[in-house]
Amino acid sequence: MSKDIVRPAILAGFMELLPNEQIMFNRMKDTIRKNYEKFGFLPIDTPNIERSEILLAKGGGETEQQMYRFERGKTDMSLRFDLTVPLARYVAQHYSELEFPFRRYHIGKVYRGERNQRGRFREFYQCDIDIVGNNTIDIINDAEIPSIIYSIFKELDFGKFTIEINNRRLLSGFFNSLGIEDPTYVLRAIDKVEKIGVEKLIGELEKLDIPKDNIDKIINFINIEGSNNEILEHLEQLEIEDSTFIQGLDELKTINKYIQLFGVPESHYKINVIIARGLDYYTGTIYETFLDDHRNIGSICSGGRYDDLASHYTTQKLPGVGISIGLTRLFDQLVYEGLLNIEEKALTDILIIPMEGCTEEGVKLSKKLRDEDIGTHLHLESGRMGRKFGYADKLNIPYVVVIGESEIENEIYALRDMKTGNQEEYTLAELIDKFKK
Amino acid sequence: MSKDIVRPAILAGFMELLPNEQIMFNRMKDTIRKNYEKFGFLPIDTPNIERSEILLAKGGGETEQQMYRFERGKTDMSLRFDLTVPLARYVAQHYSELEFPFRRYHIGKVYRGERNQRGRFREFYQCDIDIVGNNTIDIINDAEIPSIIYSIFKELDFGKFTIEINNRRLLSGFFNSLGIEDPTYVLRAIDKVEKIGVEKLIGELEKLDIPKDNIDKIINFINIEGSNNEILEHLEQLEIEDSTFIQGLDELKTINKYIQLFGVPESHYKINVIIARGLDYYTGTIYETFLDDHRNIGSICSGGRYDDLASHYTTQKLPGVGISIGLTRLFDQLVYEGLLNIEEKALTDILIIPMEGCTEEGVKLSKKLRDEDIGTHLHLESGRMGRKFGYADKLNIPYVVVIGESEIENEIYALRDMKTGNQEEYTLAELIDKFKK
């Protein structure tokens, strides 16, 4: 009977890794999770599929176009496109069973049918935390968030990074004070200043019919520089009387004070009065994080404060503050920039290779090591010794023990260091001692 | 502006947990993962969505009915319904980049639009391992698998369990020897014997036109009892000359010898000549695992050996052996049977509650503890002290430190044990010493 072979391939725009890469990816994911847990965040795990009505409650737009949406029976359902909408639904649904402030972390896959291009994935991991308050949530929480970012990226060790912080109220208040009611277009222009430069920005602002003296004020505003304290002083000296501006400045000052108590050094955060992160969701503090030597990657961890998380699902007022790490894209970029050393150590420390007739002793040794929680890989197939050493090499297993008759007789194990090629003899007790954590 | 509230609810047949339950669920998942890694299995993570052509290559049947299938653009795609088909596709696709034997673990969500009923979920976690060989894979691997099951369920500690082991070749060979060419219906009848009893089974076999002396032989066969060695002796004494039977018996004997060397005590595994686990996939060894005091839950970890993993995607012959734990269903059943203590310790050890005016010191203490990798939760909201203690209580945080002026003055922290209500004084160094792992 002839058989049809289906060509094995995944869909375009999806990420799939080889085991060595996957180990690296998981290490990053574990580091993020460990830090989230250390700071008191609780895990949740919502269904990847929700009713479309839930996901679209906020109103569609681009999101609706990108949703993987389908029907089953008479139910209109979709794959989630972020972890924020599921959080909102979760908190509204389980409101009476949760303790507030509700600190939750969520690491999971989300789906967006975006146009297929480098660095964009249709399935990707988000790693989110949020602190959600019942009615209110203290501003000092906004200072704690950067300390979590700091703790994670210090441990991940991809080089120097900077957490940039702003407050949406500063921008809103500033534009209020200039009499600009809808600052959408102005903000969009300002957003490009890093790329286009100040001269072109002035041109764009002129096109928007902004009066000359206001353009001067805007340019002056976005040019505010110096240390974090100096920036805050400059903002003070603008003497803007708008109450929104004043609130924003007060909040930034509080954050600036507490962020250092939470352990983020001055070198690793920076007030940046320009960053806005869209207009419709965040209402207060805003965060972006950049690798100083790889700013081209874009922000590697972003978020902010919002007034009301779940207004589409409940009448309870639920303000909060949170961040998200887009892990799949970040991983892809880090590999692309050569910042990840994929060839790192395997998950197991030792490969046991029993010689012919010595399998029983190999099995026994594997049991003894595993009983001590030492990650152990056992090679049971027949074949040439060289290929088996090659196997350890390809899997990056750092040590090999060959079990032969002399090893059995003397109860001594020759441990080969695969990096140096050195071989040393160990008793079982010494072997356990060397590898036990 | 009046707003429409969408009722917050998940789809029927999906599991969503509260944080305390989720912590428990994650602990189980982590235990499984840790053991898989300890035994040398490598992680993979395939897309949840695959081309329908890939998932249906084996041929549809019930599976096809249950698939979440949809089109996007002109692409026919579906959510995966298990982790075995994606493994087959993965190994075929990445064949030249993998090292064999390829030991992979995969923990992920799969989807089946099953009829909605207790204990059945439409989205559920599977935790799979497989050892896939290139052309061949040694039978001793089949003895290692139970030692992984043993290691996991010993650590999970849900009470005494038994790994039941059989070999499909024993059954096939036995039916061959009786001249029964298609044993499907006979096996289906035998499968029910635990429920219906021997008398009714005889009736069913008579209906299938099995001659009287063969019925006697079948009843004799399924009644084989005793220790594992005794069962193997009985099987030997049947003197069945069928070569398939002889191979199956040889394999079982080898497994019986090595399984003990791998550390599974005689008390925790049992040869059971009846179990078959369907007919089309497994070709050799078969595993099922039962909680002795909760057999009604069904098998909590099953699997077996197959001749060819990926024949639909490659002409390479890839035999293997593996198991799967259906974690979502298992968790649900354990909760239902009262075997899980949901109210266990939180992920953080300490809740810091700063009194009014003492927030700065609270923040500083949180930083110092977190710097030592001590999980610390900080309560920053205003409100009554009693409610904040209640917060620690509800989240199962075992210790509370209240920061007041005297604590700041004396640099002494009063640590309240939330279980006993006892309060003891600690210096910072003592506090770190107590909680640092």
Side-chain angles (χ1 to χ4, degrees):
Chain A
M1 198 178 99
S2 94
K3 219 175 353 181
D4 289 334
I5 299 284
V6 179
R7 191 177 66 87
I10 58 170
L11 289 159
F14 285 70
M15 177 187 271
E16 180 167 272
L17 303 172
L18 289 169
N20 281 356
E21 301 164 331
Q22 191 68 53
I23 288 170
M24 208 63 214
F25 186 93
N26 290 358
R27 279 197 186 124
M28 285 178 64
K29 188 143 66 82
D30 290 342
T31 299
I32 293 168
R33 175 184 165 191
K34 192 190 73 184
N35 277 284
Y36 285 170
E37 292 187 350
K38 187 167 82 177
F39 280 80
F41 290 84
L42 306 175
I44 73 168
D45 182 7
T46 69
N48 290 27
I49 313 175
E50 300 251 9
R51 286 188 293 128
S52 301
E53 186 193 19
I54 293 280
L55 299 180
L56 292 171
K58 198 180 172 182
E62 199 187 5
T63 305
E64 186 167 356
Q65 300 301 314
Q66 296 183 346
M67 271 183 10
Y68 287 88
R69 184 174 180 173
F70 48 95
E71 283 191 11
R72 226 189 128 77
K74 282 171 186 158
T75 311
D76 177 358
M77 53 184 76
S78 302
L79 298 177
R80 64 188 180 199
F81 55 84
D82 71 6
L83 301 179
T84 303
V85 174
L87 170 66
R89 194 266 310 143
Y90 184 95
V91 177
Q93 183 176 339
H94 303 291
Y95 174 78
S96 63
E97 302 159 291
L98 299 174
E99 298 304 311
F100 293 92
F102 177 50
R103 292 176 159 239
R104 86 85 177 78
Y105 78 86
H106 192 176
I107 298 175
K109 288 176 170 178
V110 305
Y111 297 84
R112 292 184 199 171
E114 295 198 77
R115 207 158 54 80
N116 194 12
Q117 58 183 56
R118 227 213 95 71
R120 295 275 166 193
F121 295 94
R122 291 173 177 167
E123 175 187 67
F124 56 99
Y125 277 95
Q126 286 200 325
C127 310
D128 284 20
I129 47 169
D130 283 86
I131 309 173
V132 180
N134 195 1
N135 246 321
T136 62
I137 181 85
D138 199 283
I139 186 70
I140 301 173
N141 289 286
D142 297 40
E144 188 181 20
I145 295 280
S147 73
I148 305 163
I149 302 175
Y150 177 72
S151 183
I152 289 170
F153 286 98
K154 209 181 80 174
E155 188 171 342
L156 286 176
D157 198 21
F158 302 130
K160 173 73 170 59
F161 59 92
T162 303
I163 305 162
E164 298 196 353
I165 300 175
N166 195 16
N167 192 304
R168 282 282 296 128
R169 291 196 173 87
L170 273 188
L171 288 167
S172 304
F174 174 66
F175 289 119
N176 276 348
S177 78
L178 300 183
I180 299 170
E181 267 180 36
D182 179 3
T184 314
Y185 296 98
V186 182
L187 276 170
R188 211 168 276 164
I190 291 176
D191 214 30
K192 293 187 286 186
V193 68
E194 254 193 73
K195 274 189 205 156
I196 63 175
V198 170
E199 285 312 307
K200 282 206 176 148
L201 173 60
I202 292 173
E204 296 237 354
L205 293 174
E206 281 167 350
K207 269 188 238 157
L208 293 171
D209 286 332
I210 311 279
K212 173 87 177 58
D213 58 331
N214 276 355
I215 290 181
D216 288 347
K217 283 180 184 166
I218 291 171
I219 299 301
N220 182 37
F221 183 81
I222 68 171
N223 274 335
I224 291 175
E225 277 188 352
S227 68
N228 290 310
N229 286 333
E230 284 165 359
I231 290 172
L232 289 171
E233 270 167 44
H234 280 198
L235 289 168
E236 197 99 54
Q237 285 159 7
L238 294 178
E239 290 184 350
I240 293 170
E241 310 245 308
D242 181 89
S243 64
T244 306
F245 183 89
I246 291 167
Q247 190 190 341
L249 185 51
D250 274 353
E251 290 179 356
L252 257 190
K253 280 199 258 177
T254 304
I255 292 168
N256 187 51
K257 173 182 161 189
Y258 279 97
I259 193 172
Q260 299 192 29
L261 297 179
F262 273 114
V264 183
E266 177 93 29
S267 56
H268 281 71
Y269 78 96
K270 182 88 192 155
I271 294 169
N272 179 345
V273 295
I274 296 177
I275 53 169
R277 291 208 67 71
L279 291 164
D280 48 352
Y281 187 56
Y282 295 114
T283 49
T285 310
I286 283 166
Y287 314 101
E288 294 195 336
T289 312
F290 298 92
L291 294 178
D292 291 7
D293 297 331
H294 302 271
R295 237 191 122 82
N296 58 309
I297 287 181
S299 175
I300 57 177
C301 176
S302 312
R305 171 181 277 251
Y306 39 86
D307 275 344
D308 203 355
L309 173 70
S311 62
H312 301 291
Y313 315 109
T314 177
T315 54
Q316 305 288 346
K317 202 185 162 213
L318 302 165
V321 57
I323 48 166
S324 181
I325 300 172
L327 185 57
T328 302
R329 182 163 181 276
L330 175 58
F331 181 85
D332 181 68
Q333 298 266 23
L334 291 169
V335 170
Y336 192 74
E337 299 279 325
L339 288 169
L340 277 183
N341 179 13
I342 295 293
E343 301 306 323
E344 276 206 17
K345 196 174 92 52
L347 298 171
T348 37
D349 292 313
I350 298 174
L351 173 71
I352 298 172
I353 305 179
M355 288 172 71
E356 224 188 304
C358 303
T359 306
E360 284 188 33
E361 293 302 320
V363 169
K364 281 186 201 164
L365 179 61
S366 77
K367 179 211 173 316
K368 284 172 192 156
L369 294 174
R370 287 164 178 168
D371 278 351
E372 301 291 335
D373 275 334
I374 298 165
T376 306
H377 199 118
L378 177 63
H379 200 302
L380 291 164
E381 309 310 305
S382 56
R384 283 182 295 112
M385 196 51 75
R387 279 190 64 173
K388 293 180 187 179
F389 274 103
Y391 183 81
D393 217 37
K394 293 243 177 70
L395 297 188
N396 300 315
I397 301 172
Y399 294 94
V400 168
V401 174
V402 177
I403 308 279
E405 277 172 28
S406 78
E407 280 78 12
I408 296 172
E409 222 165 273
N410 306 318
E411 293 189 33
I412 287 285
Y413 302 100
L415 186 73
R416 157 112 57 140
D417 182 327
M418 291 300 290
K419 226 176 211 162
T420 63
N422 285 345
Q423 195 158 302
E424 282 183 64
E425 300 201 325
Y426 287 80
T427 64
L428 176 63
E430 288 167 347
L431 211 51
I432 289 170
D433 201 49
K434 181 177 168 72
F435 290 102
K436 188 153 184 170
K437 265 123 216 157
Chain B
M1 199 178 101
S2 94
K3 219 174 355 182
D4 288 335
I5 299 285
V6 179
R7 191 177 66 86
I10 59 171
L11 289 159
F14 284 69
M15 179 187 269
E16 180 167 272
L17 303 172
L18 289 170
N20 281 354
E21 302 165 330
Q22 190 68 52
I23 288 170
M24 208 63 216
F25 187 94
N26 291 358
R27 280 198 185 123
M28 286 177 64
K29 188 144 66 81
D30 290 342
T31 300
I32 294 167
R33 175 184 166 190
K34 192 190 74 184
N35 277 283
Y36 285 170
E37 293 187 350
K38 187 167 83 178
F39 280 81
F41 290 83
L42 306 175
I44 73 167
D45 182 8
T46 69
N48 290 26
I49 312 175
E50 299 252 9
R51 286 189 293 125
S52 301
E53 186 194 20
I54 293 280
L55 298 181
L56 291 170
K58 197 181 174 183
E62 199 188 6
T63 304
E64 186 166 356
Q65 300 302 314
Q66 296 182 346
M67 270 183 11
Y68 287 88
R69 183 174 182 175
F70 48 95
E71 283 192 9
R72 226 189 128 78
K74 280 172 186 159
T75 312
D76 177 358
M77 53 183 75
S78 302
L79 298 178
R80 63 188 180 201
F81 55 83
D82 71 5
L83 301 178
T84 304
V85 174
L87 171 66
R89 194 265 310 144
Y90 184 97
V91 177
Q93 182 176 340
H94 303 290
Y95 174 78
S96 63
E97 301 159 291
L98 299 174
E99 297 304 311
F100 293 93
F102 176 50
R103 292 176 159 236
R104 87 86 177 78
Y105 78 86
H106 191 177
I107 297 176
K109 287 176 172 179
V110 305
Y111 297 84
R112 290 185 200 171
E114 294 199 77
R115 206 158 54 80
N116 192 13
Q117 59 184 71
R118 227 213 95 70
R120 294 274 165 194
F121 294 94
R122 292 173 176 167
E123 174 186 68
F124 55 98
Y125 277 94
Q126 286 200 325
C127 310
D128 283 21
I129 48 171
D130 283 86
I131 309 172
V132 180
N134 195 1
N135 246 321
T136 62
I137 181 84
D138 199 282
I139 186 68
I140 301 173
N141 289 286
D142 298 37
E144 189 181 21
I145 295 279
S147 74
I148 305 163
I149 302 176
Y150 176 70
S151 183
I152 289 170
F153 286 99
K154 209 179 79 174
E155 187 172 343
L156 286 175
D157 198 20
F158 303 131
K160 173 72 169 59
F161 59 92
T162 303
I163 305 162
E164 298 195 354
I165 301 175
N166 195 18
N167 192 304
R168 283 283 296 128
R169 291 196 173 88
L170 274 189
L171 287 167
S172 305
F174 174 65
F175 289 119
N176 277 348
S177 77
L178 299 183
I180 299 171
E181 267 181 38
D182 179 3
T184 314
Y185 296 99
V186 182
L187 275 169
R188 212 169 276 166
I190 291 176
D191 214 30
K192 293 186 287 185
V193 67
E194 255 193 72
K195 273 189 207 154
I196 63 174
V198 170
E199 286 313 307
K200 281 204 177 148
L201 172 60
I202 292 173
E204 297 237 353
L205 293 174
E206 281 167 351
K207 270 187 236 157
L208 292 171
D209 285 333
I210 311 278
K212 173 86 179 59
D213 59 331
N214 276 356
I215 290 182
D216 289 346
K217 282 182 186 164
I218 291 171
I219 299 300
N220 182 36
F221 183 80
I222 69 171
N223 274 336
I224 290 175
E225 276 187 353
S227 69
N228 290 309
N229 285 332
E230 284 166 0
I231 291 171
L232 291 171
E233 271 168 40
H234 279 196
L235 289 167
E236 197 99 56
Q237 285 159 7
L238 293 178
E239 291 185 349
I240 293 170
E241 311 246 307
D242 180 90
S243 65
T244 306
F245 183 89
I246 291 167
Q247 189 190 341
L249 186 52
D250 274 352
E251 290 179 354
L252 256 190
K253 279 199 258 178
T254 304
I255 292 168
N256 187 52
K257 173 181 162 191
Y258 280 96
I259 192 172
Q260 298 191 29
L261 298 178
F262 273 114
V264 183
E266 176 94 29
S267 56
H268 280 71
Y269 78 96
K270 182 88 191 155
I271 295 169
N272 178 346
V273 294
I274 297 176
I275 53 169
R277 291 210 67 73
L279 292 163
D280 48 350
Y281 188 56
Y282 295 115
T283 49
T285 310
I286 283 167
Y287 315 101
E288 294 195 336
T289 312
F290 297 92
L291 295 177
D292 291 7
D293 298 331
H294 301 271
R295 237 190 123 82
N296 57 309
I297 288 181
S299 175
I300 58 176
C301 175
S302 311
R305 171 181 278 252
Y306 40 86
D307 274 344
D308 203 353
L309 174 69
S311 62
H312 301 291
Y313 316 109
T314 176
T315 55
Q316 303 289 346
K317 202 188 162 212
L318 302 164
V321 56
I323 47 166
S324 180
I325 300 173
L327 185 57
T328 301
R329 181 164 181 276
L330 175 58
F331 181 85
D332 182 67
Q333 298 267 22
L334 292 170
V335 171
Y336 193 73
E337 299 279 325
L339 289 169
L340 276 184
N341 179 14
I342 296 294
E343 301 306 322
E344 276 205 18
K345 198 174 92 50
L347 298 170
T348 38
D349 292 311
I350 298 175
L351 173 70
I352 298 173
I353 306 179
M355 287 171 72
E356 226 188 302
C358 303
T359 306
E360 284 188 32
E361 293 301 319
V363 169
K364 282 185 201 165
L365 179 61
S366 77
K367 179 209 175 316
K368 285 171 192 157
L369 294 175
R370 287 164 177 166
D371 277 352
E372 301 291 336
D373 274 333
I374 296 166
T376 305
H377 199 119
L378 176 62
H379 200 301
L380 291 165
E381 309 311 304
S382 57
R384 284 183 294 111
M385 197 51 75
R387 280 189 64 175
K388 293 179 185 177
F389 274 101
Y391 183 81
D393 217 37
K394 294 241 176 72
L395 297 189
N396 301 315
I397 302 172
Y399 294 94
V400 168
V401 174
V402 177
I403 308 279
E405 277 172 29
S406 77
E407 280 78 12
I408 297 172
E409 221 163 274
N410 305 317
E411 294 190 32
I412 286 287
Y413 303 99
L415 186 74
R416 159 112 55 138
D417 183 327
M418 291 300 290
K419 228 178 207 159
T420 64
N422 286 345
Q423 196 159 299
E424 281 182 66
E425 299 202 323
Y426 287 79
T427 64
L428 175 65
E430 288 167 349
L431 211 52
I432 288 170
D433 202 50
K434 179 176 170 72
F435 290 102
K436 187 152 184 170
K437 266 123 216 158

